Amino acid sequence: MSSSSPNQSASSYSQSFLHKVQHEAQETASHTFRALASFAWLWPIRGLVFSITHPQIIMSVRHALLKSLVSSVVIFIALAFFTYIPQMAILAIFTGPLAPLVALIVVGAESLLLLSFFARALFLEPALTQVFDRTLQASGQGQLVRDGRARTHAQSSAAKSVQGALVKPLQAFSTDGIVRYVLTLPLNAIPALGTVLFLLYNGYNGGPGWHSRYFQLKGLTKAQRASFVENRRAEYTAFGMVTLLFNFVPLVGLLFSFTNTVGAALWAAQLEAQANLIDNQVGGSQTREKSE
């Protein structure tokens, strides 16, 4: 009797653990499917196309763009020269013939991490903010930008935080972001699935950060932002995954931060247009009800 009790307890614990793992796996698969089905992953691509067809937006921050290119090339080459071969040798144990590609992805992730430290303080913050605002204005949301700037300038503490809003998605500008990014890097050692999990996890956490400027312009409270994001969690995950993947492109990864910002602003412009349409419809129906 006494010997069977520990066995039953261990069996019950194993079944409970397996049930939790199965539940989490199902939730992850469901979330991934919703993220793909949302087509929000297209916004970074649309941002790239819009940047090409509207070069004046990106060229308005050409000095920051040039610095980004030079910084990306120098840091990536330095990391590739000193760390690519050793990392590829280690990853070959786990990933076999995929080691060269996985090592390239890891070097790209590491270069993004280092670039974020240097770029933020030097030139990236105001440039991304300017790109976001100009894209909104080009998309017919100039009033939102004017109202948002007036609101943030009226509050000195808020105004100081505006420029840092858009660099949060680069994952390296907060303690939590650094820890999360570094701890999940080893996932890339798992063939194929590991990189997907890395992108999924960091996209889930980093995706909403691309709309930090939009939330500031709207004047949303912390609770309102949380509710807004939660209602679109799958979309933000899809967006965050693709932006992160673009940032991993060797040599020019940081340049995609500008086109990703354009994509985020285009998405924000659409959300704002839809919100205004709903407000107008509700207001119109209320007016008709009163007149009747």
Side-chain angles (χ1 to χ4, degrees):
M1 185 73 177
S2 60
S3 61
S4 63
S5 180
N7 292 334
Q8 291 176 350
S9 178
S11 176
S12 176
Y13 176 79
S14 298
Q15 291 178 354
S16 176
F17 176 75
L18 290 175
H19 178 73
K20 290 180 179 179
V21 171
Q22 183 181 13
H23 177 72
E24 288 297 326
Q26 291 174 344
E27 285 292 320
T28 301
S30 175
H31 184 78
T32 303
F33 176 78
R34 293 196 304 271
L36 293 175
S38 71
F39 291 102
W41 48 269
L42 285 174
W43 286 111
I45 301 174
R46 291 172 179 171
L48 178 60
V49 174
F50 194 86
S51 299
I52 295 173
T53 57
H54 297 74
Q56 68 275 14
I57 293 178
I58 297 296
M59 292 307 295
S60 67
V61 291
R62 55 186 174 275
H63 297 297
L65 199 67
L66 180 60
K67 291 176 183 178
S68 297
L69 179 60
V70 173
S71 301
S72 296
V73 170
V74 170
I75 292 181
F76 182 84
I77 291 177
L79 279 175
F81 182 80
F82 290 106
T83 69
Y84 179 73
I85 299 299
Q87 290 186 106
M88 184 176 64
I90 295 174
L91 288 169
I93 301 174
F94 305 97
T95 62
L98 294 176
L101 178 60
V102 176
L104 190 65
I105 293 174
V106 172
V107 171
E110 292 167 344
S111 64
L112 176 63
L113 189 65
L114 290 177
L115 279 167
S116 61
F117 283 111
F118 297 107
R120 180 192 184 191
L122 294 177
F123 56 85
L124 196 58
E125 296 176 354
L128 291 182
T129 301
Q130 182 174 334
V131 167
F132 194 94
D133 288 358
R134 282 180 176 268
T135 304
L136 282 178
Q137 291 169 334
S139 303
Q141 297 298 332
Q143 190 62 46
L144 171 65
V145 175
R146 289 189 292 271
D147 292 345
R149 285 177 176 175
R151 185 185 302 107
T152 53
H153 289 164
Q155 302 172 352
S156 59
S157 59
K160 291 179 181 178
S161 66
V162 166
Q163 291 184 342
L166 283 169
V167 292
K168 290 180 181 178
L170 296 182
Q171 303 294 319
F173 301 139
S174 68
T175 303
D176 291 341
I178 294 172
V179 173
R180 182 172 64 244
Y181 196 84
V182 171
L183 288 180
T184 54
L185 268 177
L187 285 172
N188 291 284
I190 304 174
L193 179 62
T195 300
V196 173
L197 291 175
F198 175 82
L199 293 172
L200 182 63
Y201 179 77
N202 286 285
Y204 179 91
N205 288 283
W210 288 97
H211 270 170
S212 294
R213 175 60 169 165
Y214 176 50
F215 299 152
Q216 288 181 335
L217 291 174
K218 290 281 288 181
L220 300 184
T221 64
K222 187 175 181 180
Q224 289 173 327
R225 296 183 188 194
S227 176
F228 188 93
V229 169
E230 195 57 36
N231 290 334
R232 299 165 179 80
R233 176 56 75 176
E235 290 94 321
Y236 278 117
T237 298
F239 186 88
M241 289 178 67
V242 177
T243 56
L244 193 59
L245 191 61
F246 277 9
N247 283 133
F248 283 174
V249 175
L251 301 178
V252 296
L254 194 62
L255 295 181
F256 283 105
S257 297
F258 293 88
T259 60
N260 289 339
T261 298
V262 173
L266 291 174
W267 185 13
Q270 185 187 78
L271 291 172
E272 189 66 13
Q274 291 173 344
N276 291 338
L277 179 62
I278 293 173
D279 289 342
N280 290 336
Q281 290 176 342
V282 173
S285 62
Q286 290 177 345
T287 302
R288 287 194 297 272
E289 288 176 0
K290 290 180 180 179
S291 63
E292 292 174 356

